[in-house]
Amino acid sequence: MSTALLIACMAWIVPASAEAASPPPPIKLRAFQGEGDDVVRVSATKLRGIATIKHTGEANFAVWSIEPSGKNSDLLVNHIGDYSGTVVVNIYPWMKSGGFKIEADGAWTLKFAPISYAPLWKPLTVKNVGDKVLKLAQPTKGFHTLRYAHSGESNFAVFAIPVSGSAELLVNKIGRVSGKVTIPSGTKYVWVQADGKWTLTRK
């Protein structure tokens, strides 16, 4: 093979490998609003994001993330009546979302953003209510614990989420509960699913 032909082949091959290794495009901040059942589209992505959602109504309110094929992916919200909270989109690496399906009897809003938009968890103890996502200043290192308390009546769950890789379910209880668990090393975000007031304390 001549030198000129070899260089031409390399010029064709390198961009292909570089393209395969390039990072996916970032999630664009999108805001939607409506009333009743609807479907909204976003640019298909496997990156983790958060959806901040509000609903004013009396009947069942549900929000699904939708695969790019149009199939239901993950049930993000399933609540009766008014709702206000933040949930994680693409919590597991194999998920890919291309939109959201809303089932509602009232007015709703949905804001889709990168997970880095989650509020920073500053004090060691945080008190809140309902579904929330919190961001740590730095991923955890070494041995840390998380004390929790929940005063609601339904499911209470806490996920530890690293910068990349799979999330870990730390707590999955029903009703009024309290306890203490370890936080996995490398945790960057914490997602709380709750129907009532809750308290988290990290050490």
Side-chain angles (χ1 to χ4, degrees):
M1 180 181 292
S2 68
T3 302
L5 182 58
L6 179 60
I7 292 174
C9 290
M10 291 177 64
W12 181 80
I13 292 172
V14 170
S17 61
E19 181 179 350
S22 63
I27 292 174
K28 294 181 179 179
L29 180 64
R30 297 289 304 275
F32 306 91
Q33 62 181 8
E35 186 169 351
D37 296 349
D38 205 346
V39 176
V40 297
R41 293 176 180 266
V42 298
S43 298
T45 181
K46 295 185 72 174
L47 297 177
R48 284 202 182 104
I50 54 173
T52 299
I53 304 167
K54 293 184 179 180
H55 172 248
T56 303
E58 298 179 355
N60 190 66
F61 175 64
V63 179
W64 290 83
S65 61
I66 303 296
E67 297 178 357
S69 65
K71 294 175 59 178
N72 290 350
S73 176
D74 193 17
L75 181 59
L76 303 174
V77 178
N78 190 21
H79 188 82
I80 301 294
D82 294 347
Y83 173 84
S84 179
T86 301
V87 297
V88 176
V89 181
N90 297 335
I91 187 171
Y92 295 113
W94 57 83
M95 291 179 169
K96 187 174 185 179
S97 299
F100 301 93
K101 182 172 76 174
I102 297 96
E103 300 172 357
D105 73 320
W108 54 266
T109 61
L110 185 153
K111 182 170 70 174
F112 182 45
I115 194 170
S116 59
Y117 277 50
L120 185 63
W121 183 349
K122 292 181 180 179
L124 294 180
T125 297
V126 60
K127 297 182 179 182
N128 218 310
V129 60
D131 299 340
K132 301 295 178 186
V133 182
L134 302 171
K135 175 178 63 178
L136 299 176
Q138 298 292 335
T140 58
K141 295 181 180 180
F143 185 16
H144 293 276
T145 61
L146 181 70
R147 183 174 294 279
Y148 64 87
H150 176 241
S151 61
E153 298 179 354
S154 189
N155 191 66
F156 174 68
V158 180
F159 289 87
I161 304 174
V163 174
S164 61
S166 291
E168 184 171 335
L169 180 60
L170 303 183
V171 182
N172 190 21
K173 305 282 187 178
I174 300 293
R176 299 178 64 92
V177 294
S178 62
K180 193 174 185 180
V181 294
T182 57
I183 304 175
S185 182
T187 297
K188 175 64 176 177
Y189 303 94
V190 173
W191 178 19
V192 178
Q193 295 177 321
D195 74 321
K197 295 180 179 179
W198 50 264
T199 301
L200 296 182
T201 301
R202 55 189 171 91
K203 291 185 178 180

